[in-house]
Amino acid sequence: GADIFMSLVRPPKSTDLYLGWTKEVGDFSTMDMPSLARGISSKHFTRQTRISPTVFSYFSKTLELARSHGITPVFVTYPASRAYADALFEMGVVPDDYYATIFDAVDAIFGKARYARLNYYDLFFSHPEYFVNPDHLNELGATKFTKRVFKDLY
């Protein structure tokens, strides 16, 4: 009973949000970038199915639903750090091959002219200070990235 009472009078633990996003303020450029990037890329791609059949099935169903309602999707490839790209290369993971698999399916559903693709993968390769870790932008990077996407869309 006391736990329930305390949950009613004490605010819940939550992540600080800023403009709808978690406010990340770290600076990846001050860290051991290659080591961290190898660790993260290994976690994402070692002994993992590159593209989960279950997730991909739901992705395809979502695309079919969008197409059936006349919605033109916009696909965004988010920026990654140069260190992350280098770590993927060391592992034999080629982003262009990875995305080719995905966009072959998208093309089969929509055709090439029925969607937009914005590729920012290497946008900040020369700016590790825009990242909080190898594959996530910090507040500064997120702000610059948002402005760039807005400019490209409008």
Side-chain angles (χ1 to χ4, degrees):
D3 290 340
I4 293 172
F5 175 74
M6 289 308 293
S7 69
L8 295 173
V9 296
R10 186 177 348 146
K13 294 179 184 176
S14 62
T15 305
D16 289 335
L17 294 180
Y18 176 74
L19 299 175
W21 295 92
T22 301
K23 188 174 184 177
E24 301 287 356
V25 294
D27 181 351
F28 179 55
S29 69
T30 64
M31 303 172 196
D32 181 358
M33 295 186 299
S35 178
L36 287 169
R38 280 192 294 278
I40 295 289
S41 61
S42 179
K43 179 178 154 189
H44 290 166
F45 291 99
T46 299
R47 292 185 297 278
Q48 302 280 343
T49 303
R50 294 266 164 96
I51 298 173
S52 162
T54 303
V55 172
F56 197 72
S57 171
Y58 283 104
F59 175 69
S60 296
K61 288 176 185 181
T62 302
L63 295 178
E64 289 284 358
L65 184 63
R67 184 184 54 75
S68 73
H69 286 26
I71 296 170
T72 302
V74 177
F75 298 98
V76 179
T77 305
Y78 286 87
S81 68
R82 162 79 70 192
Y84 187 72
D86 291 347
L88 291 180
F89 180 78
E90 289 173 12
M91 294 180 65
V93 176
V94 179
D96 288 342
D97 294 344
Y98 176 82
Y99 289 113
T101 302
I102 294 169
F103 283 100
D104 284 349
V106 173
D107 289 344
I109 294 169
F110 279 97
K112 290 184 187 261
R114 302 266 309 149
Y115 63 88
R117 181 175 181 198
L118 304 174
N119 185 354
Y120 300 106
Y121 181 73
D122 61 358
L123 179 65
F124 296 142
F125 271 11
S126 61
H127 293 282
E129 71 277 10
Y130 292 174
F131 292 86
V132 69
N133 62 35
D135 59 339
H136 293 94
L137 295 168
N138 61 21
E139 178 186 8
L140 176 61
T143 300
K144 290 186 178 292
F145 177 60
T146 300
K147 288 177 181 179
R148 172 64 188 270
V149 172
F150 184 82
K151 177 179 154 275
D152 289 348
L153 288 175
Y154 301 102

